[in-house]
PDB file of all heavy atoms in Angstrom:
ATOM      1  N   THR A1465      39.663 -51.949  -1.136  1.00  0.00           N
ATOM      2  CA  THR A1465      39.959 -52.671  -2.375  1.00  0.00           C
ATOM      3  C   THR A1465      38.926 -52.319  -3.436  1.00  0.00           C
ATOM      4  O   THR A1465      37.796 -51.933  -3.119  1.00  0.00           O
ATOM      5  CB  THR A1465      39.959 -54.197  -2.167  1.00  0.00           C
ATOM      6  OG1 THR A1465      38.613 -54.632  -1.908  1.00  0.00           O
ATOM      7  CG2 THR A1465      40.839 -54.601  -1.001  1.00  0.00           C
ATOM      8  N   THR A1466      39.344 -52.472  -4.687  1.00  0.00           N
ATOM      9  CA  THR A1466      38.429 -52.261  -5.817  1.00  0.00           C
ATOM     10  C   THR A1466      38.497 -53.414  -6.807  1.00  0.00           C
ATOM     11  O   THR A1466      37.823 -53.385  -7.831  1.00  0.00           O
ATOM     12  CB  THR A1466      38.779 -50.956  -6.554  1.00  0.00           C
ATOM     13  OG1 THR A1466      40.140 -51.012  -6.999  1.00  0.00           O
ATOM     14  CG2 THR A1466      38.579 -49.750  -5.645  1.00  0.00           C
ATOM     15  N   ASP A1467      39.326 -54.416  -6.519  1.00  0.00           N
ATOM     16  CA  ASP A1467      39.539 -55.514  -7.465  1.00  0.00           C
ATOM     17  C   ASP A1467      38.752 -56.769  -7.111  1.00  0.00           C
ATOM     18  O   ASP A1467      38.969 -57.827  -7.685  1.00  0.00           O
ATOM     19  CB  ASP A1467      41.025 -55.853  -7.568  1.00  0.00           C
ATOM     20  CG  ASP A1467      41.663 -56.128  -6.210  1.00  0.00           C
ATOM     21  OD1 ASP A1467      40.979 -55.943  -5.189  1.00  0.00           O
ATOM     22  OD2 ASP A1467      42.847 -56.515  -6.177  1.00  0.00           O
ATOM     23  N   GLY A1468      37.838 -56.684  -6.152  1.00  0.00           N
ATOM     24  CA  GLY A1468      37.006 -57.831  -5.825  1.00  0.00           C
ATOM     25  C   GLY A1468      35.907 -58.026  -6.838  1.00  0.00           C
ATOM     26  O   GLY A1468      35.466 -57.085  -7.505  1.00  0.00           O
ATOM     27  N   SER A1469      35.456 -59.244  -6.982  1.00  0.00           N
ATOM     28  CA  SER A1469      34.383 -59.565  -7.923  1.00  0.00           C
ATOM     29  C   SER A1469      33.629 -60.768  -7.405  1.00  0.00           C
ATOM     30  O   SER A1469      34.038 -61.408  -6.422  1.00  0.00           O
ATOM     31  CB  SER A1469      34.951 -59.860  -9.314  1.00  0.00           C
ATOM     32  OG  SER A1469      35.728 -61.045  -9.292  1.00  0.00           O
ATOM     33  N   VAL A1470      32.552 -61.102  -8.069  1.00  0.00           N
ATOM     34  CA  VAL A1470      31.787 -62.283  -7.678  1.00  0.00           C
ATOM     35  C   VAL A1470      32.644 -63.529  -7.815  1.00  0.00           C
ATOM     36  O   VAL A1470      32.526 -64.477  -7.028  1.00  0.00           O
ATOM     37  CB  VAL A1470      30.507 -62.400  -8.520  1.00  0.00           C
ATOM     38  CG1 VAL A1470      29.772 -63.693  -8.211  1.00  0.00           C
ATOM     39  CG2 VAL A1470      29.606 -61.205  -8.279  1.00  0.00           C
ATOM     40  N   ASP A1471      33.529 -63.538  -8.821  1.00  0.00           N
ATOM     41  CA  ASP A1471      34.400 -64.686  -9.026  1.00  0.00           C
ATOM     42  C   ASP A1471      35.587 -64.710  -8.069  1.00  0.00           C
ATOM     43  O   ASP A1471      36.109 -65.774  -7.743  1.00  0.00           O
ATOM     44  CB  ASP A1471      34.920 -64.700 -10.465  1.00  0.00           C
ATOM     45  CG  ASP A1471      33.852 -65.158 -11.440  1.00  0.00           C
ATOM     46  OD1 ASP A1471      32.932 -65.850 -10.998  1.00  0.00           O
ATOM     47  OD2 ASP A1471      33.948 -64.821 -12.629  1.00  0.00           O
ATOM     48  N   GLN A1472      36.051 -63.542  -7.650  1.00  0.00           N
ATOM     49  CA  GLN A1472      37.173 -63.453  -6.719  1.00  0.00           C
ATOM     50  C   GLN A1472      36.826 -62.470  -5.600  1.00  0.00           C
ATOM     51  O   GLN A1472      37.327 -61.352  -5.558  1.00  0.00           O
ATOM     52  CB  GLN A1472      38.451 -63.010  -7.437  1.00  0.00           C
ATOM     53  CG  GLN A1472      39.053 -64.092  -8.332  1.00  0.00           C
ATOM     54  CD  GLN A1472      40.360 -63.643  -8.936  1.00  0.00           C
ATOM     55  OE1 GLN A1472      40.392 -62.994  -9.979  1.00  0.00           O
ATOM     56  NE2 GLN A1472      41.457 -64.000  -8.287  1.00  0.00           N
ATOM     57  N   PRO A1473      35.980 -62.893  -4.681  1.00  0.00           N
ATOM     58  CA  PRO A1473      35.526 -61.980  -3.632  1.00  0.00           C
ATOM     59  C   PRO A1473      36.544 -61.820  -2.515  1.00  0.00           C
ATOM     60  O   PRO A1473      37.322 -62.729  -2.226  1.00  0.00           O
ATOM     61  CB  PRO A1473      34.259 -62.664  -3.110  1.00  0.00           C
ATOM     62  CG  PRO A1473      34.539 -64.126  -3.318  1.00  0.00           C
ATOM     63  CD  PRO A1473      35.336 -64.216  -4.590  1.00  0.00           C
ATOM     64  N   TRP A1474      36.513 -60.662  -1.887  1.00  0.00           N
ATOM     65  CA  TRP A1474      37.263 -60.451  -0.663  1.00  0.00           C
ATOM     66  C   TRP A1474      36.446 -61.012   0.506  1.00  0.00           C
ATOM     67  O   TRP A1474      35.248 -61.258   0.379  1.00  0.00           O
ATOM     68  CB  TRP A1474      37.552 -58.969  -0.447  1.00  0.00           C
ATOM     69  CG  TRP A1474      38.687 -58.479  -1.294  1.00  0.00           C
ATOM     70  CD1 TRP A1474      38.608 -57.924  -2.543  1.00  0.00           C
ATOM     71  CD2 TRP A1474      40.069 -58.528  -0.958  1.00  0.00           C
ATOM     72  NE1 TRP A1474      39.856 -57.621  -3.015  1.00  0.00           N
ATOM     73  CE2 TRP A1474      40.789 -57.980  -2.056  1.00  0.00           C
ATOM     74  CE3 TRP A1474      40.790 -58.969   0.151  1.00  0.00           C
ATOM     75  CZ2 TRP A1474      42.172 -57.872  -2.068  1.00  0.00           C
ATOM     76  CZ3 TRP A1474      42.172 -58.863   0.145  1.00  0.00           C
ATOM     77  CH2 TRP A1474      42.848 -58.316  -0.953  1.00  0.00           C
ATOM     78  N   GLY A1475      37.123 -61.202   1.631  1.00  0.00           N
ATOM     79  CA  GLY A1475      36.446 -61.753   2.801  1.00  0.00           C
ATOM     80  C   GLY A1475      36.243 -63.244   2.713  1.00  0.00           C
ATOM     81  O   GLY A1475      35.446 -63.811   3.457  1.00  0.00           O
ATOM     82  N   ALA A1476      36.998 -63.908   1.816  1.00  0.00           N
ATOM     83  CA  ALA A1476      36.825 -65.339   1.626  1.00  0.00           C
ATOM     84  C   ALA A1476      37.405 -66.118   2.793  1.00  0.00           C
ATOM     85  O   ALA A1476      38.515 -65.866   3.237  1.00  0.00           O
ATOM     86  CB  ALA A1476      37.499 -65.775   0.321  1.00  0.00           C
ATOM     87  N   ALA A1477      36.649 -67.047   3.319  1.00  0.00           N
ATOM     88  CA  ALA A1477      37.075 -67.985   4.352  1.00  0.00           C
ATOM     89  C   ALA A1477      36.047 -69.100   4.361  1.00  0.00           C
ATOM     90  O   ALA A1477      35.029 -69.021   3.677  1.00  0.00           O
ATOM     91  CB  ALA A1477      37.183 -67.312   5.711  1.00  0.00           C
ATOM     92  N   MET A1478      36.307 -70.146   5.145  1.00  0.00           N
ATOM     93  CA  MET A1478      35.383 -71.275   5.126  1.00  0.00           C
ATOM     94  C   MET A1478      34.103 -70.986   5.890  1.00  0.00           C
ATOM     95  O   MET A1478      33.014 -71.098   5.368  1.00  0.00           O
ATOM     96  CB  MET A1478      36.071 -72.505   5.713  1.00  0.00           C
ATOM     97  CG  MET A1478      36.792 -73.344   4.675  1.00  0.00           C
ATOM     98  SD  MET A1478      35.711 -73.943   3.363  1.00  0.00           S
ATOM     99  CE  MET A1478      34.785 -75.192   4.212  1.00  0.00           C
ATOM    100  N   TRP A1479      34.218 -70.617   7.161  1.00  0.00           N
ATOM    101  CA  TRP A1479      33.030 -70.538   7.992  1.00  0.00           C
ATOM    102  C   TRP A1479      32.830 -69.170   8.622  1.00  0.00           C
ATOM    103  O   TRP A1479      31.983 -69.012   9.484  1.00  0.00           O
ATOM    104  CB  TRP A1479      33.092 -71.590   9.099  1.00  0.00           C
ATOM    105  CG  TRP A1479      33.121 -72.983   8.567  1.00  0.00           C
ATOM    106  CD1 TRP A1479      34.165 -73.838   8.562  1.00  0.00           C
ATOM    107  CD2 TRP A1479      32.047 -73.684   7.934  1.00  0.00           C
ATOM    108  NE1 TRP A1479      33.824 -75.028   7.984  1.00  0.00           N
ATOM    109  CE2 TRP A1479      32.523 -74.964   7.582  1.00  0.00           C
ATOM    110  CE3 TRP A1479      30.715 -73.362   7.622  1.00  0.00           C
ATOM    111  CZ2 TRP A1479      31.740 -75.912   6.956  1.00  0.00           C
ATOM    112  CZ3 TRP A1479      29.936 -74.320   6.992  1.00  0.00           C
ATOM    113  CH2 TRP A1479      30.452 -75.569   6.666  1.00  0.00           C
ATOM    114  N   GLU A1480      33.616 -68.178   8.237  1.00  0.00           N
ATOM    115  CA  GLU A1480      33.469 -66.877   8.841  1.00  0.00           C
ATOM    116  C   GLU A1480      33.910 -65.808   7.860  1.00  0.00           C
ATOM    117  O   GLU A1480      34.483 -66.098   6.813  1.00  0.00           O
ATOM    118  CB  GLU A1480      34.296 -66.781  10.126  1.00  0.00           C
ATOM    119  CG  GLU A1480      35.789 -66.991   9.908  1.00  0.00           C
ATOM    120  CD  GLU A1480      36.595 -66.829  11.184  1.00  0.00           C
ATOM    121  OE1 GLU A1480      36.161 -66.065  12.051  1.00  0.00           O
ATOM    122  OE2 GLU A1480      37.652 -67.459  11.291  1.00  0.00           O
ATOM    123  N   PHE A1481      33.626 -64.560   8.203  1.00  0.00           N
ATOM    124  CA  PHE A1481      34.074 -63.424   7.410  1.00  0.00           C
ATOM    125  C   PHE A1481      35.592 -63.355   7.502  1.00  0.00           C
ATOM    126  O   PHE A1481      36.150 -63.188   8.587  1.00  0.00           O
ATOM    127  CB  PHE A1481      33.418 -62.151   7.942  1.00  0.00           C
ATOM    128  CG  PHE A1481      33.872 -60.884   7.274  1.00  0.00           C
ATOM    129  CD1 PHE A1481      34.199 -60.858   5.928  1.00  0.00           C
ATOM    130  CD2 PHE A1481      33.959 -59.712   7.995  1.00  0.00           C
ATOM    131  CE1 PHE A1481      34.607 -59.695   5.309  1.00  0.00           C
ATOM    132  CE2 PHE A1481      34.355 -58.535   7.403  1.00  0.00           C
ATOM    133  CZ  PHE A1481      34.684 -58.524   6.047  1.00  0.00           C
ATOM    134  N   GLY A1482      36.278 -63.476   6.363  1.00  0.00           N
ATOM    135  CA  GLY A1482      37.728 -63.579   6.345  1.00  0.00           C
ATOM    136  C   GLY A1482      38.435 -62.255   6.505  1.00  0.00           C
ATOM    137  O   GLY A1482      39.105 -61.783   5.576  1.00  0.00           O
ATOM    138  N   ALA A1483      38.311 -61.609   7.653  1.00  0.00           N
ATOM    139  CA  ALA A1483      39.039 -60.383   7.969  1.00  0.00           C
ATOM    140  C   ALA A1483      39.292 -60.367   9.471  1.00  0.00           C
ATOM    141  O   ALA A1483      38.359 -60.542  10.257  1.00  0.00           O
ATOM    142  CB  ALA A1483      38.253 -59.153   7.537  1.00  0.00           C
ATOM    143  N   TRP A1484      40.570 -60.150   9.855  1.00  0.00           N
ATOM    144  CA  TRP A1484      40.938 -60.260  11.261  1.00  0.00           C
ATOM    145  C   TRP A1484      41.775 -59.048  11.669  1.00  0.00           C
ATOM    146  O   TRP A1484      42.824 -58.758  11.080  1.00  0.00           O
ATOM    147  CB  TRP A1484      41.735 -61.545  11.499  1.00  0.00           C
ATOM    148  CG  TRP A1484      40.978 -62.779  11.107  1.00  0.00           C
ATOM    149  CD1 TRP A1484      40.147 -63.530  11.882  1.00  0.00           C
ATOM    150  CD2 TRP A1484      40.997 -63.423   9.825  1.00  0.00           C
ATOM    151  NE1 TRP A1484      39.648 -64.595  11.178  1.00  0.00           N
ATOM    152  CE2 TRP A1484      40.142 -64.553   9.902  1.00  0.00           C
ATOM    153  CE3 TRP A1484      41.644 -63.165   8.609  1.00  0.00           C
ATOM    154  CZ2 TRP A1484      39.930 -65.412   8.829  1.00  0.00           C
ATOM    155  CZ3 TRP A1484      41.426 -64.015   7.535  1.00  0.00           C
ATOM    156  CH2 TRP A1484      40.575 -65.131   7.661  1.00  0.00           C
ATOM    157  N   TRP A1485      41.327 -58.337  12.695  1.00  0.00           N
ATOM    158  CA  TRP A1485      42.001 -57.137  13.180  1.00  0.00           C
ATOM    159  C   TRP A1485      43.144 -57.493  14.126  1.00  0.00           C
ATOM    160  O   TRP A1485      43.044 -58.422  14.929  1.00  0.00           O
ATOM    161  CB  TRP A1485      41.029 -56.246  13.947  1.00  0.00           C
ATOM    162  CG  TRP A1485      40.018 -55.523  13.113  1.00  0.00           C
ATOM    163  CD1 TRP A1485      38.731 -55.907  12.868  1.00  0.00           C
ATOM    164  CD2 TRP A1485      40.213 -54.282  12.437  1.00  0.00           C
ATOM    165  NE1 TRP A1485      38.103 -54.975  12.074  1.00  0.00           N
ATOM    166  CE2 TRP A1485      38.988 -53.960  11.802  1.00  0.00           C
ATOM    167  CE3 TRP A1485      41.292 -53.395  12.312  1.00  0.00           C
ATOM    168  CZ2 TRP A1485      38.809 -52.809  11.048  1.00  0.00           C
ATOM    169  CZ3 TRP A1485      41.125 -52.247  11.556  1.00  0.00           C
ATOM    170  CH2 TRP A1485      39.895 -51.962  10.932  1.00  0.00           C
ATOM    171  N   SER A1486      44.218 -56.672  14.080  1.00  0.00           N
ATOM    172  CA  SER A1486      45.260 -56.759  15.095  1.00  0.00           C
ATOM    173  C   SER A1486      44.738 -56.119  16.379  1.00  0.00           C
ATOM    174  O   SER A1486      43.826 -55.286  16.339  1.00  0.00           O
ATOM    175  CB  SER A1486      46.526 -56.046  14.635  1.00  0.00           C
ATOM    176  OG  SER A1486      46.294 -54.653  14.463  1.00  0.00           O
ATOM    177  N   PRO A1487      45.274 -56.489  17.547  1.00  0.00           N
ATOM    178  CA  PRO A1487      44.756 -55.949  18.815  1.00  0.00           C
ATOM    179  C   PRO A1487      44.793 -54.432  18.905  1.00  0.00           C
ATOM    180  O   PRO A1487      43.949 -53.831  19.578  1.00  0.00           O
ATOM    181  CB  PRO A1487      45.668 -56.591  19.866  1.00  0.00           C
ATOM    182  CG  PRO A1487      46.145 -57.851  19.235  1.00  0.00           C
ATOM    183  CD  PRO A1487      46.298 -57.523  17.771  1.00  0.00           C
ATOM    184  N   ASP A1488      45.783 -53.791  18.243  1.00  0.00           N
ATOM    185  CA  ASP A1488      45.871 -52.325  18.297  1.00  0.00           C
ATOM    186  C   ASP A1488      45.105 -51.647  17.171  1.00  0.00           C
ATOM    187  O   ASP A1488      45.164 -50.423  17.023  1.00  0.00           O
ATOM    188  CB  ASP A1488      47.332 -51.875  18.272  1.00  0.00           C
ATOM    189  CG  ASP A1488      48.054 -52.304  16.992  1.00  0.00           C
ATOM    190  OD1 ASP A1488      47.406 -52.920  16.119  1.00  0.00           O
ATOM    191  OD2 ASP A1488      49.264 -52.023  16.870  1.00  0.00           O
ATOM    192  N   SER A1489      44.382 -52.430  16.353  1.00  0.00           N
ATOM    193  CA  SER A1489      43.552 -51.922  15.242  1.00  0.00           C
ATOM    194  C   SER A1489      44.369 -51.298  14.127  1.00  0.00           C
ATOM    195  O   SER A1489      43.801 -50.648  13.237  1.00  0.00           O
ATOM    196  CB  SER A1489      42.516 -50.900  15.750  1.00  0.00           C
ATOM    197  OG  SER A1489      41.686 -51.461  16.728  1.00  0.00           O
ATOM    198  N   ARG A1490      45.680 -51.519  14.117  1.00  0.00           N
ATOM    199  CA  ARG A1490      46.511 -50.963  13.039  1.00  0.00           C
ATOM    200  C   ARG A1490      46.431 -51.809  11.785  1.00  0.00           C
ATOM    201  O   ARG A1490      46.383 -51.287  10.678  1.00  0.00           O
ATOM    202  CB  ARG A1490      47.973 -50.857  13.499  1.00  0.00           C
ATOM    203  CG  ARG A1490      48.917 -50.440  12.364  1.00  0.00           C
ATOM    204  CD  ARG A1490      50.363 -50.370  12.803  1.00  0.00           C
ATOM    205  NE  ARG A1490      51.242 -50.126  11.676  1.00  0.00           N
ATOM    206  CZ  ARG A1490      52.569 -49.989  11.758  1.00  0.00           C
ATOM    207  NH1 ARG A1490      53.161 -50.080  12.956  1.00  0.00           N
ATOM    208  NH2 ARG A1490      53.289 -49.781  10.679  1.00  0.00           N
ATOM    209  N   TYR A1491      46.459 -53.119  11.967  1.00  0.00           N
ATOM    210  CA  TYR A1491      46.489 -54.024  10.819  1.00  0.00           C
ATOM    211  C   TYR A1491      45.144 -54.735  10.643  1.00  0.00           C
ATOM    212  O   TYR A1491      44.440 -55.029  11.616  1.00  0.00           O
ATOM    213  CB  TYR A1491      47.566 -55.090  10.992  1.00  0.00           C
ATOM    214  CG  TYR A1491      48.980 -54.563  11.016  1.00  0.00           C
ATOM    215  CD1 TYR A1491      49.669 -54.453  12.224  1.00  0.00           C
ATOM    216  CD2 TYR A1491      49.630 -54.195   9.845  1.00  0.00           C
ATOM    217  CE1 TYR A1491      50.977 -53.989  12.263  1.00  0.00           C
ATOM    218  CE2 TYR A1491      50.932 -53.722   9.867  1.00  0.00           C
ATOM    219  CZ  TYR A1491      51.601 -53.619  11.078  1.00  0.00           C
ATOM    220  OH  TYR A1491      52.889 -53.158  11.114  1.00  0.00           O
ATOM    221  N   LEU A1492      44.855 -55.048   9.397  1.00  0.00           N
ATOM    222  CA  LEU A1492      43.705 -55.887   9.060  1.00  0.00           C
ATOM    223  C   LEU A1492      44.201 -56.968   8.109  1.00  0.00           C
ATOM    224  O   LEU A1492      44.695 -56.671   7.016  1.00  0.00           O
ATOM    225  CB  LEU A1492      42.595 -55.076   8.394  1.00  0.00           C
ATOM    226  CG  LEU A1492      41.311 -55.852   8.075  1.00  0.00           C
ATOM    227  CD1 LEU A1492      40.609 -56.281   9.352  1.00  0.00           C
ATOM    228  CD2 LEU A1492      40.374 -55.009   7.210  1.00  0.00           C
ATOM    229  N   LEU A1493      44.095 -58.214   8.550  1.00  0.00           N
ATOM    230  CA  LEU A1493      44.458 -59.355   7.713  1.00  0.00           C
ATOM    231  C   LEU A1493      43.187 -59.849   7.040  1.00  0.00           C
ATOM    232  O   LEU A1493      42.191 -60.115   7.713  1.00  0.00           O
ATOM    233  CB  LEU A1493      45.083 -60.458   8.563  1.00  0.00           C
ATOM    234  CG  LEU A1493      45.595 -61.699   7.824  1.00  0.00           C
ATOM    235  CD1 LEU A1493      46.811 -61.360   6.979  1.00  0.00           C
ATOM    236  CD2 LEU A1493      45.925 -62.805   8.824  1.00  0.00           C
ATOM    237  N   ALA A1494      43.208 -59.948   5.713  1.00  0.00           N
ATOM    238  CA  ALA A1494      41.982 -60.307   4.993  1.00  0.00           C
ATOM    239  C   ALA A1494      42.279 -61.323   3.901  1.00  0.00           C
ATOM    240  O   ALA A1494      43.383 -61.366   3.340  1.00  0.00           O
ATOM    241  CB  ALA A1494      41.341 -59.062   4.390  1.00  0.00           C
ATOM    242  N   GLY A1495      41.291 -62.165   3.620  1.00  0.00           N
ATOM    243  CA  GLY A1495      41.435 -63.194   2.601  1.00  0.00           C
ATOM    244  C   GLY A1495      40.676 -62.864   1.339  1.00  0.00           C
ATOM    245  O   GLY A1495      39.655 -62.170   1.358  1.00  0.00           O
ATOM    246  N   ARG A1496      41.205 -63.359   0.215  1.00  0.00           N
ATOM    247  CA  ARG A1496      40.521 -63.208  -1.069  1.00  0.00           C
ATOM    248  C   ARG A1496      40.671 -64.496  -1.853  1.00  0.00           C
ATOM    249  O   ARG A1496      41.686 -65.187  -1.758  1.00  0.00           O
ATOM    250  CB  ARG A1496      41.114 -62.046  -1.878  1.00  0.00           C
ATOM    251  CG  ARG A1496      40.311 -61.757  -3.137  1.00  0.00           C
ATOM    252  CD  ARG A1496      40.926 -60.656  -3.983  1.00  0.00           C
ATOM    253  NE  ARG A1496      42.122 -61.085  -4.681  1.00  0.00           N
ATOM    254  CZ  ARG A1496      42.561 -60.536  -5.805  1.00  0.00           C
ATOM    255  NH1 ARG A1496      41.913 -59.529  -6.350  1.00  0.00           N
ATOM    256  NH2 ARG A1496      43.654 -60.970  -6.386  1.00  0.00           N
ATOM    257  N   ARG A1497      39.664 -64.823  -2.609  1.00  0.00           N
ATOM    258  CA  ARG A1497      39.703 -65.996  -3.486  1.00  0.00           C
ATOM    259  C   ARG A1497      40.896 -65.877  -4.421  1.00  0.00           C
ATOM    260  O   ARG A1497      41.102 -64.856  -5.062  1.00  0.00           O
ATOM    261  CB  ARG A1497      38.393 -66.062  -4.272  1.00  0.00           C
ATOM    262  CG  ARG A1497      38.251 -67.253  -5.188  1.00  0.00           C
ATOM    263  CD  ARG A1497      37.967 -68.527  -4.414  1.00  0.00           C
ATOM    264  NE  ARG A1497      37.505 -69.580  -5.297  1.00  0.00           N
ATOM    265  CZ  ARG A1497      38.314 -70.296  -6.082  1.00  0.00           C
ATOM    266  NH1 ARG A1497      39.587 -70.063  -6.095  1.00  0.00           N
ATOM    267  NH2 ARG A1497      37.823 -71.244  -6.847  1.00  0.00           N
TER     268      ARG A1497
END
Side-chain angles (χ1 to χ4, degrees):
T1465 69
T1466 58
D1467 53 354
S1469 66
V1470 175
D1471 284 337
Q1472 288 184 274
W1474 282 92
M1478 270 301 287
W1479 298 108
E1480 60 177 331
F1481 176 34
W1484 301 270
W1485 287 97
S1486 64
D1488 61 2
S1489 302
R1490 173 181 173 179
Y1491 295 103
L1492 183 67
L1493 183 69
R1496 187 183 73 155
R1497 182 75 166 78

